[in-house]
């Protein structure tokens, strides 16, 4: 494959996890080497054709069990949930560059790099999970993040507002406290994984904000006003709840 959209379609429509990660890393390598182009052969397929693995079993968020980090089961559940977030983040990065065409080359470069980093995060957590006696897919997970992709499939500004600028930015709010908690517990391995994710996610949110502001300006829209409008239109549950880490955001 020498087309970025062919790689995207393969990653979005094949259910083998190992193949998905391998293709993601290969695509980024080929892009960096100038071996991929943006000449789409076909328009994007319907988002309903996206394929997910048969496991983990997906539940509504309200049906997810609550477990304490103080127990081995709770610790494993926490990292399993984090693995699922990063796994869906790979899908989200691929889908935004696959679904929205005709944008500047740098847009596709940014989101392909983000897909590669999210795949790295997922692999790191999966290795850590195995040390806890659990594999990805052994526990249930929820599908809330992907619902934002479905809801915003026809509006690039809504996608940027909801995913990097809202949902991923939420990670910037809560992760520093989680890192401190793991360090207090003496779990340096868990803290290091969270720190790696936090460092990369700051860049992901920054690119989301850059493209949101750039594309709003190109359409003559005020970024702040339009962001608030999109949150009112698409964000379920009213509005995002703080406290917000404004420095990292």
């Amino acid at each position: 494959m020498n087309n970025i959209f062919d790689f995207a379609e393969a990653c979005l429509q094949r259910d083998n996890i190992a193949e998905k990660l391998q293709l993601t890393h290969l695509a980024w390598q080929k892009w960096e080497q100038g071996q991929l182009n943006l000449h789409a052969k076909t328009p994007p397929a319907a988002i309903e054709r996206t394929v997910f693995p048969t496991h983990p079993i997906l539940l509504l968020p309200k049906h997810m069990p609550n477990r304490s980090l103080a127990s081995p089961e709770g610790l494993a559940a926490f990292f399993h949930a984090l693995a699922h977030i990063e796994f869906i983040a790979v899908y989200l990065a691929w889908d935004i560059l696959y679904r929205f065409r005709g944008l500047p080359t740098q847009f596709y470069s940014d989101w392909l790099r983000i897909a590669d980093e999210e795949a790295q995060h997922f692999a790191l957590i999966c290795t850590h999970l195995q040390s806890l006696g659990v594999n990805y897919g052994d526990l249930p997970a929820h599908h809330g993040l992907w619902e934002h992709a479905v809801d915003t499939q026809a509006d690039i500004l809504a996608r940027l507002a909801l995913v990097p600028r809202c949902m991923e930015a939420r990670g910037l709010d809560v992760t520093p406290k989680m890192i401190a908690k793991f360090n207090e517990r003496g779990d340096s391995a868990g803290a290091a994984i969270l720190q790696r994710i936090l460092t990369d996610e700051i860049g992901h949110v920054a690119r989301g904000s850059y493209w949101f502001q750039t594309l709003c300006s190109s359409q003559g829209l005020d970024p702040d006003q339009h962001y608030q409008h999109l949150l009112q239109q698409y964000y379920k549950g009213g509005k995002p709840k703080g406290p917000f880490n404004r420095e990292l955001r």
Side-chain angles (χ1 to χ4, degrees):
M1 291 185 286
N2 61 358
N3 186 290
I4 196 172
F5 301 113
D6 290 340
F7 269 96
E9 192 161 280
C11 287
L12 290 168
Q13 296 184 10
R14 299 180 189 179
D15 64 356
N16 185 282
I17 294 175
E19 181 185 24
K20 195 184 303 292
L21 300 182
Q22 183 181 26
L23 286 173
T24 299
H25 297 320
L26 178 60
W28 177 240
Q29 292 169 7
K30 289 174 75 72
W31 179 265
E32 283 195 299
Q33 295 165 3
Q35 297 176 4
L36 286 185
N37 63 63
L38 295 170
H39 304 306
K41 301 169 187 173
T42 57
I47 201 167
E48 289 75 18
R49 291 185 59 184
T50 305
V51 176
F52 295 93
T54 55
H55 288 81
I57 295 171
L58 301 177
L59 304 176
L60 292 173
K62 64 181 179 181
H63 293 155
M64 291 293 293
N66 291 320
R67 295 187 175 99
S68 168
L69 282 176
S71 69
E73 296 80 9
L75 189 63
F78 170 81
F79 278 105
H80 190 276
L82 188 60
H84 185 67
I85 290 171
E86 297 300 320
F87 185 61
I88 297 301
V90 177
Y91 276 86
L92 290 168
W94 272 119
D95 190 77
I96 196 172
L97 68 81
Y98 173 69
R99 195 152 307 284
F100 301 103
R101 309 288 173 88
L103 295 167
T105 299
Q106 188 60 46
F107 177 89
Y108 301 98
S109 181
D110 284 347
W111 293 104
L112 182 53
R113 177 180 56 79
I114 289 170
D116 183 67
E117 290 178 352
E118 303 289 19
Q120 292 177 46
H121 298 168
F122 175 72
L124 280 172
I125 302 167
C126 285
T127 299
H128 189 63
L129 266 178
Q130 290 172 349
S131 74
L132 300 175
V134 174
N135 290 310
Y136 176 66
D138 288 351
L139 303 176
H142 73 80
H143 214 39
L145 274 176
W146 186 250
E147 290 178 359
H148 292 299
V150 175
D151 292 343
T152 61
Q153 61 183 287
D155 187 338
I156 179 62
L157 291 176
R159 176 68 64 88
L160 290 166
L162 264 289
V163 178
R165 298 198 81 215
C166 185
M167 304 311 296
E168 287 191 89
R170 186 61 185 151
L172 306 188
D173 300 332
V174 301
T175 304
K177 292 181 180 179
M178 293 303 302
I179 293 171
K181 183 177 293 188
F182 274 84
N183 280 325
E184 289 171 5
R185 292 167 48 87
D187 187 349
S188 58
I193 290 172
L194 292 175
Q195 184 61 59
R196 163 66 194 280
I197 292 172
L198 176 64
T199 299
D200 289 345
E201 294 294 344
I202 290 171
H204 301 176
V205 174
R207 297 319 291 167
S209 290
Y210 169 82
W211 285 111
F212 181 79
Q213 292 164 1
T214 297
L215 296 178
C216 276
S217 296
S218 71
Q219 298 180 32
L221 298 168
D222 178 271
D224 291 337
Q225 291 181 2
H226 196 58
Y227 180 65
Q228 294 300 324
H229 167 73
L230 290 169
L231 286 185
Q232 292 174 8
Q233 183 176 355
Y234 288 98
Y235 189 81
K236 298 172 182 176
K239 61 181 181 179
K241 296 178 175 60
F244 304 114
N245 189 327
R246 300 189 183 278
E247 181 181 358
L248 292 185
R249 282 171 174 254

